[in-house]
Amino acid sequence: MPGTVIVGTQWGDEGKGRFVDYLAEQSSLVVRYQGGHNAGHTIVVDGEVFALQLVPSGVLYRHVTPVIGNGVVVDPAVLIAELDMLEAKGVDTSRLRLSGNAHLIMPYHTELDRVTERYLGQNKLGTTKRGIGPTYADKALRVGLRVQDLLDAKIFRQKLDLVLREKNGVLAKVYNRLPLDADEICATYLAMLPRLEPLIDDTVHLVHEALDAGQEVLFEGAQATYLDLDHGTYPFVTSSNPIAGGVCTGAGVGPRAIERVIGVVKAYTTRVGSGPFPTELADGDATGEALVERGHEFGTNTGRRRRPGWLDAVMLRHAVRLNSCSEIAVTKLDVLSTLPELKVCVAYEGDDGKRYEHVPYHQSVLHKVRPVYETLPGWGGEIDGATRVEDLPPEARDYLRFVEELAGVPMTFVSVGPSRDQTVVMPRAA
């Protein structure tokens, strides 16, 4: 089965989209399997920037069928706005296929997300307030509305009336908010059906037809390993499963359909929002500021500044194991070019002096560990013009070799700039 998964090995923002875009050229389908419009991919093609939120990156190739799988939560207004943006740039979006089983983000989801974060105060989780968590919660509670419900106005209204009884009660009695109007919601959502209906499909069947025919299928998720609901730094996580295993439920395929799992790792580390970050560089640190500035470390959708830090190989090793990565791909190596020396965290030290070479499972330990670094020399020159590994300075090659050894799997791709063609293919992957 020729399935390939692209998965982030950190807290997201690793630049997964550029490798999805790179590999999509050889693929028939590119399938998004989880998350919502709380994360995005930025792709640069011929100098033009595409900031994608819901539409899979493969849409930029005419031969690719982009698929939004059942594990994704969809705000239909956001999806339509994104389709309009792509069409305005000359991109054909008629090939997009949207799972009828994907859950809809409703107005009460976004409202509950906003008021809950406000209510938590200093203990807030740092969500994007876009209704993602409440939508997944309703999915688990079995009161969610799905894309296919839009196809029957009577069913849509019945389900909406039922769920609004509880949601309006919570909004009014707990958060002192005005109730939402069912007529208004129905009118707004059903008015979008003519645009969406041609795209709605049985995406599980579509994916399996492609796999059975021996076609290359690429699976992409949002966020990354350490934002996974089960395996991330809970509760500072997303509400779905970005790890490679999430493909099975989010796209409807079995484990044996997956041939390659490519773990994407940024040459340093960033995270958005709250939560532990062992290798974080403190606010005002000159190196951290340089990483943010050179790496343009601001959220694709929210514009939030990302917290910067050194590469954490302890996290990387664990992510490789959790995802069964067959290989890794490194992004933003060029961002490190001006630094005189580079640090890589190879282990943690606990308060009791214990050395950890794996990620501690206990939150109280993880929040207090100190990174154990190894220092490598920088290369002191720009590398954005490199097209082969031989074009990279020896120090850059040494850094990559060191990261590869720590990860324990081969490194197949390295990005040296934001554009599609700024990708160095490592010799064994050529």
Side-chain angles (χ1 to χ4, degrees), residues 35 37-38 50 249 286 350 353 363 370 391 419:
H37 67 296
N38 56 335
F50 294 86
T249 52
Q363 60 188 358
R370 295 178 296 277
D391 297 334
S419 296

Side-chain angles (χ1 to χ4, degrees), residues 46 53 101 120 131 151 215 225 270 273 285 338 360 376 383 397:
D46 297 329
Q53 301 177 81
N101 288 340
L120 289 172
L151 300 172
Q215 298 173 1
T225 299
T270 61
D285 180 273
T338 61
L376 290 82
I383 58 172
R397 280 179 269 160

Side-chain angles (χ1 to χ4, degrees), residues 50-288:
F50 294 86
L52 302 176
Q53 301 177 81
L54 283 168
V55 178
S57 307
V59 73
L60 301 180
Y61 289 97
R62 293 183 181 276
H63 67 279
V64 170
T65 299
V67 176
I68 296 176
N70 58 274
V72 180
V73 292
V74 177
D75 184 322
V78 171
L79 176 57
I80 289 173
E82 188 169 340
L83 295 175
D84 288 344
M85 176 273 293
L86 288 166
E87 291 285 350
K89 292 188 175 188
V91 178
D92 176 19
T93 63
S94 64
R95 304 182 313 280
L96 177 71
R97 291 297 173 262
L98 170 62
S99 173
N101 288 340
H103 278 246
L104 292 168
I105 298 175
M106 303 296 291
Y108 46 81
H109 292 137
T110 52
E111 183 68 6
L112 284 168
D113 205 354
R114 284 194 293 266
V115 296
T116 302
E117 276 288 274
R118 194 179 306 130
Y119 182 80
L120 289 172
Q122 291 184 338
N123 297 313
K124 65 181 180 179
L125 301 175
T127 79
T128 56
K129 304 181 185 68
R130 298 189 174 190
I132 310 299
T135 306
Y136 276 114
D138 276 1
K139 178 179 180 177
L141 287 168
R142 294 162 292 173
V143 295
L145 279 78
R146 298 186 293 175
V147 168
Q148 63 171 283
D149 293 328
L150 291 170
L151 300 172
D152 189 317
K154 184 178 178 181
I155 288 176
F156 185 83
R157 181 56 187 260
Q158 287 175 344
K159 291 187 173 183
L160 179 62
D161 285 342
L162 179 64
V163 75
L164 271 183
R165 292 181 204 168
E166 186 259 340
K167 302 302 179 189
N168 277 337
V170 171
L171 286 169
K173 296 175 183 177
V174 177
Y175 297 108
N176 196 30
R177 307 293 292 180
L178 292 173
L180 299 174
D181 183 78
D183 290 337
E184 184 179 331
I185 294 173
C186 265
T188 300
Y189 274 65
L190 294 175
M192 293 185 274
L193 181 59
R195 184 70 186 278
L196 297 174
E197 187 168 8
L199 310 177
I200 301 172
D201 208 338
D202 179 352
T203 58
V204 171
H205 179 68
L206 192 67
V207 168
H208 279 275
E209 277 194 323
L211 289 169
D212 292 344
Q215 298 173 1
E216 294 288 337
V217 179
L218 195 57
F219 299 94
E220 67 167 345
Q223 295 95 22
T225 299
Y226 290 94
L227 291 177
D228 188 273
L229 180 60
D230 289 276
H231 299 286
T233 49
Y234 190 90
F236 306 101
V237 293
T238 194
S239 300
S240 57
N241 295 108
I243 62 168
V247 172
C248 297
T249 52
V253 297
R256 291 199 298 169
I258 307 304
E259 188 177 70
R260 298 173 72 188
V261 179
I262 303 174
V264 182
V265 52
K266 191 147 52 180
Y268 49 98
T269 310
T270 61
R271 81 170 296 175
V272 170
S274 308
F277 188 171
T279 64
E280 182 173 12
L281 293 163
D283 278 349
D285 180 273
T287 299

Side-chain angles (χ1 to χ4, degrees), residues 402-422:
F402 185 62
V403 173
E404 182 180 57
E405 289 172 358
L406 291 170
V409 291
M411 183 182 299
T412 49
F413 304 101
V414 178
S415 80
V416 293
S419 296
R420 179 185 281 174
D421 57 356
Q422 290 179 295

